[in-house]
Amino acid sequence: FTFIKFSQSQTEGIVTTLAGKTAVTGAFDGYGTFSTFNFPQFLAVSRDGFTLYVSDTYNHRIRSIETSTGFTRTVAGIATPGWQDGIGTAAQLFNPTGL
């Protein structure tokens, strides 16, 4: 799948798309459905609950999503797979699957 859905209202059972376009792959950062993913697999939530971290596996990146705005940005990795330590996009990852 290429999008992230999350429930904003547990009591009403409403589910909305927080980030990503349905059935569109890519690695665009941006707000809501303007951002794209390629096989996001795992999620982690920041301690304060304001940020989701996503292993965007086939884009070889770790991405963050602000839960209040739906803004997605690349935290680490680039499109080229590899095993290079570095800060942010200076790092190269190979199919990250866990956080």
XYZ file of all heavy atoms in Angstrom:
755
model
N 0.829 -1.185 0.000
C 0.000 0.000 0.000
C 0.862 1.231 0.000
O 2.030 1.185 0.303
C -0.989 -0.029 1.168
C -0.342 0.034 2.525
C -0.245 1.234 3.185
C 0.164 -1.089 3.136
C 0.341 1.313 4.432
C 0.744 -1.027 4.377
C 0.830 0.180 5.024
N 0.275 2.342 -0.355
C 1.082 3.543 -0.552
C 0.589 4.727 0.256
O 1.014 5.842 0.034
C 1.087 3.945 -2.029
O -0.258 4.176 -2.451
C 1.730 2.882 -2.897
N -0.300 4.523 1.180
C -0.837 5.631 1.955
C -0.963 5.221 3.413
O -0.939 4.046 3.743
C -2.198 6.079 1.408
C -3.211 4.967 1.367
C -4.118 4.813 2.397
C -3.243 4.081 0.319
C -5.037 3.786 2.378
C -4.166 3.045 0.291
C -5.065 2.898 1.319
N -1.114 6.216 4.291
C -1.258 5.981 5.719
C -2.639 6.468 6.128
O -2.993 7.598 5.854
C -0.208 6.774 6.526
C 1.205 6.507 6.019
C -0.323 6.507 7.998
C 1.749 5.152 6.315
N -3.423 5.608 6.747
C -4.716 6.038 7.271
C -4.660 5.930 8.788
O -4.074 5.006 9.322
C -5.840 5.170 6.736
C -6.138 5.409 5.290
C -7.506 4.910 4.948
C -7.806 5.167 3.503
N -8.649 6.278 3.262
N -5.292 6.879 9.457
C -5.334 6.758 10.899
C -6.618 7.357 11.417
O -7.192 8.251 10.817
C -4.083 7.379 11.520
C -4.237 8.683 12.210
C -4.102 8.756 13.579
C -4.495 9.841 11.501
C -4.220 9.967 14.216
C -4.606 11.047 12.139
C -4.471 11.112 13.506
N -7.105 6.800 12.493
C -8.388 7.220 13.044
C -8.206 8.454 13.908
O -7.469 8.438 14.882
C -8.988 6.089 13.872
O -10.172 6.517 14.477
N -8.889 9.530 13.540
C -8.821 10.753 14.325
C -9.866 10.774 15.427
O -9.759 11.533 16.355
C -9.008 11.970 13.423
C -7.847 12.205 12.505
C -8.024 13.472 11.712
O -9.123 13.883 11.404
N -6.921 14.099 11.374
N -10.899 9.959 15.316
C -11.966 9.966 16.306
C -12.378 8.541 16.632
O -13.133 7.923 15.897
C -13.175 10.751 15.779
O -14.244 10.656 16.679
N -11.879 8.019 17.716
C -12.205 6.658 18.125
C -13.689 6.506 18.444
O -14.285 5.495 18.144
C -11.366 6.264 19.351
C -9.889 6.193 19.093
C -9.497 4.967 18.309
O -10.177 3.959 18.321
N -8.391 5.047 17.605
N -14.291 7.512 19.055
C -15.683 7.389 19.486
C -16.665 7.411 18.326
O -17.688 6.757 18.366
C -16.056 8.516 20.480
O -15.832 9.776 19.853
C -15.229 8.420 21.739
N -16.348 8.140 17.276
C -17.250 8.207 16.132
C -16.887 7.203 15.050
O -17.652 7.014 14.108
C -17.236 9.620 15.543
C -17.774 10.657 16.511
C -17.646 12.055 15.944
O -17.482 12.201 14.724
O -17.707 13.004 16.736
N -15.732 6.584 15.152
C -15.303 5.598 14.178
C -14.946 6.185 12.822
O -14.972 5.507 11.813
N -14.591 7.453 12.786
C -14.237 8.112 11.531
C -12.772 7.843 11.224
O -11.908 8.060 12.055
C -14.490 9.631 11.624
C -15.970 9.904 11.855
C -13.987 10.330 10.368
C -16.277 11.344 12.195
N -12.495 7.393 10.007
C -11.127 7.150 9.576
C -10.831 8.098 8.417
O -11.593 8.170 7.456
C -10.924 5.690 9.128
C -9.516 5.464 8.606
C -11.246 4.750 10.268
N -9.740 8.832 8.523
C -9.364 9.766 7.465
C -7.935 9.471 7.015
O -7.155 8.870 7.749
C -9.434 11.227 7.956
O -8.559 11.390 9.063
C -10.836 11.609 8.374
N -7.601 9.894 5.811
C -6.241 9.733 5.312
C -5.382 10.846 5.874
O -5.671 12.022 5.666
C -6.207 9.768 3.777
O -7.023 8.709 3.276
C -4.783 9.618 3.251
N -4.349 10.474 6.583
C -3.426 11.446 7.167
C -2.366 11.862 6.159
O -2.030 13.031 6.055
C -2.760 10.857 8.415
C -1.710 11.708 9.104
C -2.344 13.000 9.628
C -1.066 10.938 10.231
N -1.850 10.907 5.403
C -0.775 11.207 4.450
C -0.743 10.157 3.353
O -1.059 9.003 3.581
C 0.569 11.237 5.175
N -0.343 10.581 2.176
C -0.150 9.675 1.055
C -1.350 9.580 0.127
O -2.477 9.804 0.530
N -1.060 9.290 -1.142
C -2.091 9.123 -2.153
C -2.385 7.643 -2.318
O -1.473 6.824 -2.374
C -1.629 9.680 -3.500
C -1.534 11.172 -3.550
C -1.139 11.631 -4.946
C -0.983 13.135 -4.954
N -0.592 13.639 -6.266
N -3.646 7.299 -2.438
C -4.049 5.924 -2.657
C -3.584 5.459 -4.033
O -3.815 6.148 -5.027
C -5.582 5.794 -2.549
O -5.992 6.271 -1.273
C -6.033 4.360 -2.725
N -2.909 4.320 -4.078
C -2.473 3.661 -5.314
C -1.482 4.490 -6.142
O -1.364 4.296 -7.339
C -3.678 3.256 -6.160
N -0.764 5.426 -5.513
C 0.265 6.209 -6.199
C 1.559 6.059 -5.409
O 1.590 6.361 -4.224
C -0.117 7.704 -6.290
C 1.017 8.513 -6.895
C -1.399 7.878 -7.084
N 2.609 5.566 -6.047
C 3.885 5.436 -5.345
C 4.776 6.633 -5.668
O 4.634 7.273 -6.698
C 4.619 4.148 -5.741
O 4.868 4.163 -7.139
C 3.808 2.919 -5.371
N 5.684 6.918 -4.744
C 6.620 8.015 -4.921
C 7.267 8.362 -3.598
O 7.055 7.673 -2.597
N 8.034 9.434 -3.588
C 8.744 9.846 -2.372
C 8.624 11.351 -2.164
O 9.552 11.999 -1.716
C 10.206 9.444 -2.456
N 7.461 11.904 -2.488
C 7.266 13.346 -2.342
C 6.927 13.707 -0.905
O 6.059 13.092 -0.296
C 6.161 13.844 -3.266
C 6.515 13.762 -4.716
C 5.929 12.817 -5.524
C 7.462 14.622 -5.267
C 6.260 12.729 -6.865
C 7.806 14.539 -6.599
C 7.202 13.585 -7.400
N 7.620 14.706 -0.372
C 7.273 15.273 0.921
C 6.183 16.316 0.699
O 6.121 16.927 -0.372
C 8.493 15.949 1.556
C 9.556 14.951 1.988
O 9.256 13.746 2.078
O 10.692 15.381 2.243
N 5.340 16.518 1.705
C 4.287 17.522 1.573
C 3.137 17.239 2.513
O 3.204 16.339 3.355
N 2.069 17.995 2.368
C 0.907 17.877 3.240
C -0.072 16.818 2.736
O -0.333 16.723 1.537
C 0.165 19.214 3.331
C 0.893 20.242 4.155
C 1.691 21.194 3.544
C 0.796 20.246 5.543
C 2.379 22.140 4.293
C 1.486 21.177 6.300
C 2.262 22.121 5.673
O 2.940 23.045 6.423
N -0.598 16.048 3.679
C -1.700 15.127 3.406
C -1.494 14.255 2.192
O -0.478 13.590 2.045
N -2.480 14.295 1.288
C -2.442 13.421 0.120
C -1.511 13.917 -0.980
O -1.424 13.296 -2.039
C -3.862 13.231 -0.456
O -4.413 14.502 -0.770
C -4.762 12.506 0.537
N -0.794 15.014 -0.757
C 0.231 15.437 -1.710
C 1.519 14.648 -1.511
O 2.361 14.600 -2.404
C 0.500 16.948 -1.601
C -0.637 17.768 -2.113
C -1.503 18.377 -1.233
C -0.858 17.910 -3.475
C -2.572 19.116 -1.699
C -1.924 18.646 -3.949
C -2.791 19.256 -3.056
N 1.697 14.041 -0.350
C 2.882 13.220 -0.105
C 2.654 11.826 -0.684
O 1.516 11.385 -0.845
C 3.176 13.126 1.391
O 2.084 12.530 2.068
N 3.745 11.149 -1.031
C 3.639 9.795 -1.564
C 4.641 8.880 -0.869
O 5.666 9.327 -0.350
C 3.879 9.771 -3.089
O 5.137 10.374 -3.381
C 2.762 10.483 -3.834
N 4.326 7.592 -0.863
C 5.140 6.557 -0.227
C 5.291 5.400 -1.196
O 4.562 5.297 -2.175
C 4.460 6.047 1.052
C 4.303 7.083 2.121
C 3.210 7.936 2.127
C 5.255 7.219 3.109
C 3.059 8.898 3.108
C 5.117 8.175 4.103
C 4.014 9.017 4.095
N 6.204 4.497 -0.882
C 6.365 3.273 -1.653
C 6.609 2.128 -0.685
O 7.729 1.881 -0.271
C 7.510 3.398 -2.659
C 7.513 2.278 -3.671
O 6.691 1.372 -3.596
N 8.434 2.332 -4.610
N 5.550 1.467 -0.330
C 5.524 0.337 0.598
C 5.944 0.726 2.024
O 6.922 0.204 2.568
C 6.374 -0.816 0.082
C 5.959 -2.148 0.632
C 4.720 -2.673 0.339
C 6.799 -2.860 1.454
C 4.323 -3.889 0.859
C 6.422 -4.078 1.983
C 5.174 -4.596 1.681
N 5.186 1.619 2.650
C 5.448 1.923 4.061
C 5.071 0.715 4.911
O 3.998 0.143 4.730
C 4.533 3.117 4.342
C 3.423 2.977 3.353
C 4.024 2.344 2.138
N 5.956 0.298 5.816
C 5.690 -0.930 6.560
C 5.483 -0.740 8.058
O 4.582 -1.330 8.612
C 6.829 -1.929 6.349
C 6.827 -2.525 4.978
C 7.686 -3.752 4.945
O 7.482 -4.696 5.690
N 8.672 -3.733 4.076
N 6.336 0.014 8.708
C 6.261 0.109 10.161
C 6.071 1.547 10.603
O 6.559 2.464 9.966
C 7.524 -0.473 10.811
C 7.603 -1.961 10.685
C 8.214 -2.533 9.586
C 7.055 -2.785 11.655
C 8.280 -3.903 9.452
C 7.111 -4.158 11.534
C 7.728 -4.720 10.422
N 5.381 1.709 11.707
C 5.138 3.028 12.294
C 5.665 3.056 13.719
O 5.616 2.058 14.430
C 3.640 3.336 12.354
C 2.875 3.444 11.060
C 1.384 3.604 11.350
C 3.374 4.619 10.259
N 6.146 4.204 14.127
C 6.495 4.467 15.523
C 5.939 5.850 15.846
O 5.873 6.718 14.977
C 8.002 4.438 15.734
N 5.523 6.040 17.074
C 4.951 7.319 17.501
C 5.913 7.984 18.472
O 6.454 7.331 19.371
C 3.584 7.102 18.186
C 2.975 8.422 18.621
C 2.632 6.351 17.273
N 6.123 9.286 18.288
C 6.985 10.020 19.214
C 6.361 10.020 20.606
O 5.156 9.833 20.763
C 7.195 11.460 18.735
O 5.969 12.165 18.742
N 7.167 10.221 21.591
C 6.715 10.202 22.979
C 5.578 11.194 23.223
O 4.639 10.905 23.948
C 7.886 10.503 23.906
C 7.588 10.268 25.364
C 8.840 10.403 26.152
N 9.756 9.341 25.724
C 10.428 8.562 26.538
N 10.348 8.740 27.825
N 11.212 7.623 26.081
N 5.648 12.361 22.581
C 4.596 13.370 22.781
C 3.361 13.125 21.902
O 2.352 13.801 22.046
C 5.140 14.781 22.544
C 5.662 15.001 21.133
O 5.385 14.183 20.222
O 6.371 16.011 20.934
N 3.448 12.171 20.982
C 2.307 11.817 20.138
C 2.090 12.734 18.949
O 1.134 12.565 18.208
N 2.978 13.681 18.728
C 2.800 14.648 17.648
C 3.434 14.232 16.328
O 3.219 14.878 15.311
C 3.334 16.028 18.054
C 2.578 16.647 19.184
C 3.246 17.080 20.317
C 1.200 16.792 19.131
C 2.553 17.652 21.368
C 0.501 17.362 20.176
C 1.177 17.791 21.297
N 4.237 13.168 16.344
C 4.936 12.746 15.135
C 4.847 11.237 14.964
O 5.064 10.488 15.918
C 6.421 13.165 15.183
O 6.499 14.563 15.448
C 7.132 12.853 13.881
N 4.541 10.798 13.747
C 4.628 9.395 13.370
C 5.899 9.221 12.544
O 6.211 10.065 11.698
C 3.441 8.980 12.496
C 2.079 8.909 13.126
C 1.036 8.607 12.045
C 2.044 7.835 14.187
N 6.608 8.145 12.776
C 7.773 7.809 11.971
C 7.418 6.576 11.155
O 6.809 5.632 11.672
C 8.995 7.552 12.852
C 9.437 8.805 13.558
C 9.021 9.082 14.861
C 10.239 9.737 12.910
C 9.399 10.242 15.500
C 10.626 10.907 13.544
C 10.194 11.149 14.831
O 10.568 12.308 15.451
N 7.787 6.580 9.883
C 7.388 5.530 8.949
C 8.621 4.982 8.247
O 9.445 5.762 7.748
C 6.428 6.100 7.872
C 5.982 5.007 6.914
C 5.245 6.795 8.498
N 8.743 3.668 8.197
C 9.785 3.081 7.353
C 9.203 2.953 5.951
O 8.322 2.148 5.696
C 10.255 1.727 7.899
O 9.181 0.812 7.945
N 9.651 3.816 5.063
C 9.190 3.853 3.675
C 10.121 2.936 2.886
O 11.078 3.365 2.237
C 9.238 5.302 3.178
C 8.500 5.507 1.876
O 7.952 4.526 1.338
O 8.486 6.650 1.392
N 9.825 1.659 2.939
C 10.752 0.597 2.581
C 11.336 0.702 1.179
O 12.546 0.720 1.000
C 10.074 -0.768 2.774
O 9.644 -0.857 4.133
C 11.028 -1.911 2.489
N 10.500 0.756 0.159
C 11.028 0.726 -1.210
C 11.569 2.086 -1.670
O 12.167 2.170 -2.740
C 9.984 0.209 -2.183
C 9.624 -1.249 -1.956
C 8.458 -1.782 -2.457
C 10.454 -2.093 -1.229
C 8.115 -3.106 -2.258
C 10.124 -3.416 -1.015
C 8.952 -3.917 -1.537
O 8.621 -5.227 -1.332
N 11.377 3.128 -0.870
C 12.040 4.407 -1.133
C 13.358 4.516 -0.371
O 14.057 5.515 -0.494
C 11.137 5.582 -0.754
C 10.100 5.853 -1.805
O 10.340 5.695 -2.983
N 8.919 6.265 -1.379
N 13.651 3.517 0.476
C 14.899 3.464 1.243
C 15.033 4.689 2.157
O 16.102 5.293 2.259
C 16.117 3.351 0.311
C 15.930 2.308 -0.743
N 15.923 0.962 -0.448
C 15.686 2.410 -2.082
C 15.707 0.276 -1.557
N 15.558 1.133 -2.556
N 13.925 5.043 2.820
C 13.893 6.246 3.657
C 13.123 6.013 4.944
O 12.255 5.145 5.017
C 13.195 7.389 2.920
C 13.815 7.754 1.614
C 12.923 8.688 0.834
N 13.398 8.766 -0.533
C 13.638 9.885 -1.172
N 13.447 11.033 -0.602
N 14.073 9.866 -2.411
N 13.431 6.830 5.928
C 12.599 6.964 7.123
C 11.917 8.315 6.976
O 12.578 9.326 6.721
C 13.421 6.915 8.432
C 14.212 5.596 8.518
C 12.513 7.114 9.635
C 13.372 4.344 8.541
N 10.608 8.338 7.134
C 9.845 9.569 6.950
C 9.137 9.901 8.264
O 8.850 9.025 9.072
C 8.787 9.383 5.858
C 9.251 8.687 4.588
C 9.936 9.555 3.584
N 9.107 10.572 2.978
C 8.221 10.362 2.014
N 8.018 9.157 1.536
N 7.534 11.382 1.522
N 8.841 11.174 8.461
C 8.059 11.597 9.619
C 6.791 12.273 9.124
O 6.778 12.895 8.058
C 8.846 12.541 10.521
O 9.070 13.773 9.868
N 5.724 12.118 9.902
C 4.444 12.752 9.598
C 3.983 13.490 10.847
O 3.870 12.888 11.914
C 3.371 11.724 9.202
C 3.847 10.843 8.051
C 2.057 12.429 8.851
C 2.956 9.640 7.795
N 3.740 14.784 10.723
C 3.189 15.560 11.831
C 1.712 15.210 11.953
O 0.954 15.374 10.992
C 3.348 17.056 11.580
C 4.781 17.522 11.543
C 4.901 18.992 11.168
O 3.881 19.724 11.183
O 6.025 19.401 10.850
N 1.300 14.724 13.122
C -0.079 14.275 13.274
C -1.083 15.420 13.235
O -2.233 15.224 12.860
C -0.264 13.473 14.581
O 0.123 14.285 15.685
C 0.551 12.195 14.561
N -0.678 16.628 13.584
C -1.615 17.757 13.588
C -1.875 18.316 12.198
O -2.963 18.823 11.915
C -1.106 18.872 14.502
O 0.140 19.352 14.039
N -0.883 18.213 11.296
C -1.019 18.826 9.972
C -0.980 17.820 8.832
O -1.380 18.142 7.715
C 0.116 19.837 9.723
O 1.368 19.127 9.698
C 0.128 20.918 10.780
N -0.457 16.622 9.086
C -0.288 15.641 8.025
C 0.927 15.901 7.151
O 1.092 15.285 6.105
N 1.806 16.823 7.577
C 2.990 17.126 6.775
C 4.006 15.993 6.880
O 4.386 15.577 7.968
C 3.648 18.445 7.197
C 4.757 18.851 6.268
C 4.459 19.424 5.045
C 6.084 18.626 6.596
C 5.474 19.778 4.159
C 7.091 18.979 5.720
C 6.792 19.559 4.500
N 4.446 15.498 5.724
C 5.425 14.415 5.631
C 6.755 14.981 5.177
O 6.809 15.802 4.272
C 4.957 13.363 4.608
O 3.714 12.821 5.035
C 5.977 12.247 4.468
N 7.842 14.530 5.834
C 9.187 14.930 5.408
C 10.108 13.720 5.563
O 9.877 12.822 6.368
C 9.700 16.112 6.216
C 10.031 15.821 7.652
C 10.681 16.987 8.408
N 10.137 18.284 8.132
C 9.132 18.860 8.805
N 8.581 18.222 9.803
N 8.714 20.066 8.495
N 11.177 13.743 4.767
C 12.190 12.692 4.852
C 13.133 12.995 6.006
O 13.670 14.090 6.099
C 12.979 12.600 3.535
O 12.066 12.281 2.486
C 14.065 11.549 3.606
N 13.308 12.020 6.889
C 14.192 12.167 8.041
C 15.572 11.596 7.728
O 16.586 12.170 8.110
C 13.590 11.452 9.277
C 14.530 11.492 10.457
C 12.249 12.051 9.638
N 15.600 10.472 7.041
C 16.876 9.822 6.711
C 16.715 9.012 5.432
O 15.650 8.458 5.167
C 17.326 8.915 7.852
N 17.802 8.957 4.665
C 17.831 8.138 3.466
C 17.596 8.925 2.196
O 17.121 10.059 2.215
N 17.967 8.286 1.089
C 17.771 8.837 -0.251
C 17.259 7.712 -1.146
O 17.162 6.567 -0.713
C 19.070 9.440 -0.814
C 20.191 8.395 -0.831
C 19.494 10.660 -0.026
C 21.464 8.862 -1.506
N 16.968 8.023 -2.377
C 16.404 7.027 -3.289
C 17.377 5.890 -3.606
O 16.960 4.788 -3.927
C 15.956 7.700 -4.580
N 18.670 6.158 -3.510
C 19.672 5.135 -3.808
C 19.885 4.247 -2.591
O 20.279 4.734 -1.532
C 21.011 5.802 -4.190
O 20.779 6.720 -5.257
C 22.032 4.762 -4.610
N 19.613 2.935 -2.704
C 19.815 2.053 -1.561
C 21.293 1.892 -1.234
O 22.157 1.985 -2.111
C 19.216 0.732 -2.018
C 19.275 0.767 -3.504
C 19.164 2.208 -3.896
N 21.573 1.669 0.042
C 22.955 1.447 0.448
C 23.059 1.279 1.950
O 22.064 1.167 2.652
N 24.284 1.274 2.438
C 24.567 1.096 3.856
C 25.554 2.153 4.300
O 26.664 1.848 4.713
C 25.138 -0.298 4.100
C 24.181 -1.397 3.803
C 23.276 -1.932 4.669
C 24.019 -2.097 2.580
N 22.557 -2.912 4.050
C 22.995 -3.036 2.753
C 24.626 -2.010 1.319
C 22.558 -3.890 1.748
C 24.193 -2.855 0.312
C 23.179 -3.781 0.542
N 25.167 3.413 4.227
C 26.062 4.517 4.557
C 25.547 5.277 5.767
O 24.419 5.763 5.754
C 26.161 5.478 3.365
C 27.050 6.679 3.602
C 28.503 6.287 3.799
O 29.046 5.480 3.053
N 29.132 6.834 4.808
N 26.360 5.349 6.824
C 26.007 6.194 7.964
C 26.021 7.649 7.525
O 26.786 8.037 6.647
C 27.008 6.014 9.110
C 26.906 4.651 9.762
O 25.895 3.965 9.564
O 27.865 4.269 10.465
N 25.189 8.448 8.158
C 25.154 9.866 7.841
C 23.982 10.524 8.533
O 23.128 9.864 9.123
N 23.921 11.835 8.451
C 22.829 12.599 9.054
C 21.813 12.927 7.972
O 22.172 13.447 6.909
C 23.355 13.884 9.709
C 24.302 13.520 10.850
C 22.210 14.757 10.201
C 25.035 14.692 11.448
N 20.557 12.621 8.236
C 19.486 12.949 7.299
C 19.644 12.267 5.962
O 19.857 11.061 5.874
N 19.598 13.060 4.906
C 19.684 12.483 3.567
C 21.112 12.128 3.164
O 21.331 11.632 2.055
C 19.059 13.439 2.525
O 19.709 14.708 2.604
C 17.570 13.601 2.757
N 22.079 12.333 4.040
C 23.435 11.850 3.789
C 23.542 10.355 4.087
O 24.489 9.696 3.662
C 24.453 12.621 4.631
N 22.561 9.812 4.800
C 22.539 8.383 5.109
C 21.956 7.616 3.926
O 21.102 8.113 3.207
C 21.697 8.128 6.353
N 22.436 6.397 3.745
C 21.838 5.499 2.764
C 21.312 4.282 3.505
O 22.019 3.677 4.311
C 22.858 5.059 1.720
C 23.149 6.104 0.675
C 24.083 5.570 -0.370
O 25.260 5.361 -0.097
N 23.562 5.337 -1.567
N 20.073 3.931 3.222
C 19.409 2.789 3.842
C 19.059 1.782 2.761
O 18.880 2.137 1.602
C 18.138 3.253 4.561
C 18.290 4.415 5.526
C 16.938 4.873 6.032
C 19.196 4.054 6.682
N 18.910 0.534 3.160
C 18.500 -0.508 2.213
C 17.222 -1.155 2.720
O 17.231 -1.905 3.699
C 19.598 -1.555 2.029
C 19.258 -2.563 0.970
C 19.472 -2.270 -0.357
C 18.706 -3.771 1.313
C 19.143 -3.188 -1.337
C 18.367 -4.710 0.350
C 18.588 -4.409 -0.987
N 16.124 -0.818 2.107
C 14.804 -1.379 2.452
C 14.551 -1.391 3.964
O 14.353 -2.452 4.557
C 14.645 -2.796 1.911
C 14.567 -2.838 0.406
O 14.376 -1.818 -0.252
N 14.711 -4.020 -0.164
N 14.509 -0.230 4.602
C 14.249 -0.230 6.055
C 12.873 -0.819 6.359
O 11.902 -0.496 5.668
C 14.308 1.244 6.420
C 13.972 1.979 5.161
C 14.531 1.128 4.056
N 12.829 -1.718 7.333
C 11.558 -2.376 7.646
C 11.134 -2.212 9.097
O 10.011 -2.542 9.427
C 11.634 -3.886 7.319
O 12.732 -4.451 8.026
C 11.807 -4.118 5.832
N 11.982 -1.778 9.959
C 11.617 -1.625 11.369
C 12.112 -0.308 11.925
O 12.993 0.323 11.364
N 11.505 0.106 12.990
C 11.903 1.360 13.616
C 12.216 1.133 15.078
O 11.687 0.305 15.719
C 10.788 2.410 13.510
C 10.443 2.805 12.069
C 9.212 3.692 12.054
C 11.616 3.563 11.470
